[in-house]
Amino acid sequence: QVERIGFRVKAVQGLWRIVEPIVPPHVGQKRMINFVRQAMIEETDPTRLAALTSLRDELRKAQYVQ
C-alpha cells in the first residue's frame, strides 16, 4: 500500500523549511534523564522514587545502546 503525505515548504535563507504539517517537538534522551533526576530529588514517596530510579536506569541503558 502506498501512502502519500503532503508537505508545504518555504525557502528561508536559502534552505527549505517545512511549513505544514507542524511536527510536534521531540524530547531528547539527555533532557529526559535530567527531568527524571530532578523528579527523584523532589520525590518523597518511596514507591514513586523506586519507579523513577528504575525509569532512570532504563533511560541510561537505552542511551548507551544507540
Side-chain angles (χ1 to χ4, degrees):
Q1 173 181 345
V2 175
E3 184 176 348
R4 179 175 259 169
I5 300 174
F7 289 91
R8 285 187 50 216
V9 295
K10 177 180 178 181
V12 177
Q13 297 180 357
L15 301 172
W16 292 105
R17 301 286 177 172
I18 296 175
V19 177
E20 288 181 355
I22 302 297
V23 179
H26 295 14
V27 178
Q29 287 178 334
K30 288 182 181 181
R31 175 67 186 114
M32 181 59 95
I33 290 170
N34 288 339
F35 181 83
V36 171
R37 188 177 297 140
Q38 184 63 37
M40 289 173 65
I41 292 169
E42 297 171 0
E43 188 56 59
T44 58
D45 180 19
T47 305
R48 293 179 72 170
L49 182 58
L52 287 167
T53 302
S54 176
L55 176 59
R56 182 203 57 199
D57 295 343
E58 290 297 318
L59 287 168
R60 284 183 175 168
K61 285 180 192 176
Q63 185 177 23
Y64 294 116
V65 169
Q66 295 179 358

